[in-house]
Amino acid sequence: MIASSKAEKPLLHPSASVTSEPCGGASWAGFEDFMEPRGTKREAGKTEVAEPRNKLPCPAPSLPTDPALYSGPFPFYRRPSELGCFSLDAQRQYHGDARALRYYSPPPTNGSGPNFDLRDGYPDRYQPRDEEVQERLDHLLCWLLEHRGRLEGGPGWLAGAIVTWRGHLTKLLTTPYERQEGWQLAASRFQGTLYLSEVETLAARAQRLARPPLLQELMYMGYKFEQYMCADKPGSSPDPSGEVNTNVAFCSVLRSRLGSHPLLFSGEVDCTDPQAPSTQPPTCYVELKTSKEMHSPGQWRSFYRHKLLKWWAQSFLPGVPNVVAGFRNPEGFVSSLKTFPTMEMFEYVRNDRDGWNPSVCMNFCAAFLSFAQSTVVQDDPRLVHLFSWEPGGPVTVSVHRDAPYAFLPIWYVEAMTQDLPSPPKTPSPK
């Protein structure tokens, strides 16, 4: 459902007291007391990247990523509001409705642990998505074409917005603390809107193609856990006997604003909780995760520093209030469940000198968006600015035209161009 044109919802700002609209029992405000980072910076090896084709002269500026540079107050962030949704079916086909939405149905809390067998059905009842298919922003653009005339704020709002996937913003948030994986983001400006689409790095592609069987099975286990925790209808029970098909997805489309940057982004949602205090998306959504069992303080510290950072970034951006984690033993059975409220995750690392700071994450993301907005000034869907980053270095930019980096499809450009009003006729001189 498209948001109606009305007064803007409360904004997320450290000086504001937004306690009247709880999110998972915690206020969106109160970030002003986040600790400043004190961790040391470790160098990481550089990944060799092949020289791209159709490369144009590269702009000189770059953006540093050192956490110490972004330790100011928590930036202005608008409470995310859902504009609509769409579904992808078992063949990865787009549908502009909620048919793929699943319903949170956890096991009873009394008695022993859940004892879910996450290996059950692997690989016989497993249909993984074809990762060779580059979907880019296409599904989100399908939704945008359907609803462009009914967006809150009108066409003028979209002209100043940034359109992307939630996962791309998540990578930006975690960049100041990432020590292993680099990234590339392609950016194009079209009709004033800045579009951001991830490009698979050569290192990430090589890693994916050489993915060991154990890692493939661990990926399956994450999807299998969702099957144990979700039902197809409210009030019904999960059915873990069916096929795990990772083509199927339900995606929420959200509007927000970080600093001066209006955002329209979409992300996959695991399920909705019919028993949530509020049925208003996204506060009724639940994120589901799995992790290995922890048996020592050192293992928990590592979990809080690394895995919980990514869980926080992924859930904070769309306003999902809770992450429910299933902890698995070496045999692949879930032995316990634990709920991590998104707004309380930072508490686990607040006093850890090597921990992460949400202010740093959001300030860096805001700085990158400003960097991208000021760098990509030419309105041309065929022109691509490729932002590249490897751990230990700054974000750099190269400029390209057309293949292989151009990502806005012709069908989208033509449809949006046809919607433009005709220019006014110039009167003939007398």
Side-chain angles (χ1 to χ4, degrees):
M1 185 171 65
I2 306 304
S4 60
S5 179
K6 54 186 176 183
E8 188 170 59
K9 294 187 178 182
L11 300 170
L12 312 188
H13 193 278
S15 63
S17 178
V18 191
T19 56
S20 60
E21 295 188 42
C23 182
S27 167
W28 283 90
F31 288 101
E32 68 276 10
D33 58 346
F34 281 154
M35 287 177 55
E36 294 188 1
R38 290 175 290 174
T40 56
K41 183 177 177 182
R42 297 192 299 269
E43 289 294 326
K46 299 284 184 178
T47 302
E48 186 174 346
V49 179
E51 186 71 14
R53 294 171 285 164
N54 297 347
K55 183 177 178 181
L56 301 177
C58 179
S62 62
L63 181 70
T65 61
D66 189 334
L69 299 174
Y70 302 99
S71 59
F74 197 85
F76 189 88
Y77 187 59
R78 182 187 193 267
R79 181 184 299 276
S81 58
E82 185 174 88
L83 298 176
C85 64
F86 59 87
S87 297
L88 303 176
D89 64 21
Q91 287 74 43
R92 205 67 179 172
Q93 295 301 304
Y94 171 92
H95 303 274
D97 53 37
R99 67 183 65 188
L101 178 62
R102 293 176 295 177
Y103 298 85
Y104 183 58
S105 181
T109 54
N110 55 356
S112 59
N115 205 37
F116 298 151
D117 181 4
L118 299 185
R119 285 195 168 105
D120 177 50
Y122 183 81
D124 302 331
R125 304 196 310 273
Y126 182 33
Q127 181 59 53
R129 180 176 71 85
D130 184 357
E131 296 179 271
E132 281 295 306
V133 178
Q134 297 184 8
E135 296 177 335
R136 301 187 174 96
L137 300 182
D138 289 12
H139 295 133
L140 176 54
L141 299 182
C142 283
W143 183 92
L144 204 50
L145 274 182
E146 286 183 354
H147 300 93
R148 62 195 183 280
R150 291 173 282 164
L151 286 177
E152 181 182 358
W157 179 86
L158 185 62
I162 296 170
V163 173
T164 190
W165 286 109
R166 180 266 312 270
H168 303 353
L169 296 174
T170 299
K171 288 200 172 185
L172 291 173
L173 260 66
T174 59
T175 292
Y177 300 104
E178 177 60 48
R179 297 293 178 262
Q180 294 182 338
E181 297 179 359
W183 49 256
Q184 289 186 321
L185 280 176
S188 290
R189 189 177 295 280
F190 173 53
Q191 294 182 0
T193 306
L194 184 66
Y195 296 85
L196 298 176
S197 179
E198 187 176 11
V199 174
E200 186 178 44
T201 64
L202 294 180
R205 175 174 171 79
Q207 192 176 48
R208 172 172 62 81
L209 294 177
R211 189 179 292 152
L214 177 60
L215 188 54
Q216 294 179 26
E217 190 173 18
L218 286 176
M219 292 176 62
Y220 169 83
M221 288 182 180
Y223 291 105
K224 186 66 180 181
F225 177 63
E226 296 175 16
Q227 200 178 55
Y228 278 108
M229 297 288 288
C230 299
D232 291 335
K233 297 178 181 179
S236 61
S237 299
D239 178 14
S241 66
E243 181 184 62
V244 172
N245 189 323
T246 63
N247 287 300
V248 179
F250 169 79
C251 296
S252 172
V253 182
L254 299 125
R255 174 187 177 179
S256 186
R257 181 156 60 92
L258 175 55
S260 60
H261 307 293
L263 299 172
L264 188 151
F265 60 95
S266 179
E268 188 172 345
V269 173
D270 290 334
C271 56
T272 183
D273 184 2
Q275 306 299 320
S278 169
T279 57
Q280 180 69 32
T283 57
C284 57
Y285 292 149
V286 179
E287 183 71 29
L288 300 173
K289 297 291 186 182
T290 59
S291 183
K292 65 179 182 180
E293 288 179 329
M294 252 71 70
H295 300 287
S296 69
Q299 288 178 329
W300 279 109
R301 276 196 303 272
S302 178
F303 170 82
Y304 296 145
R305 289 173 183 173
H306 306 293
K307 188 162 285 189
L308 208 58
L309 164 61
K310 294 184 178 180
W311 291 6
W312 170 81
Q314 185 180 16
S315 298
F316 177 80
L317 281 165
V320 174
N322 292 302
V323 175
V324 177
F327 289 92
R328 64 178 188 275
N329 61 25
E331 290 72 41
F333 285 83
V334 172
S335 55
S336 64
L337 301 174
K338 181 176 174 60
T339 298
F340 293 91
T342 304
M343 303 301 285
E344 299 174 14
M345 290 181 183
F346 172 61
E347 296 302 320
Y348 291 97
V349 295
R350 181 184 288 274
N351 298 316
D352 184 348
R353 61 176 298 165
D354 293 319
W356 46 274
N357 185 323
S359 295
V360 169
C361 299
M362 295 296 283
N363 283 324
F364 172 76
C365 185
F368 174 84
L369 297 180
S370 295
F371 180 51
Q373 289 276 37
S374 61
T375 302
V376 187
V377 294
Q378 187 173 338
D379 204 288
D380 183 351
R382 296 169 55 191
L383 185 67
V384 177
H385 285 71
L386 186 66
F387 295 86
S388 303
W389 177 75
E390 289 296 330
V395 178
T396 59
V397 195
S398 56
V399 187
H400 311 264
R401 182 171 289 279
D402 297 326
Y405 295 119
F407 60 90
L408 289 175
I410 294 176
W411 54 261
Y412 179 76
V413 172
E414 290 181 345
M416 293 292 280
T417 303
Q418 290 170 2
D419 270 7
L420 283 177
S422 301
K425 294 182 178 180
T426 305
S428 302
K430 293 183 180 179

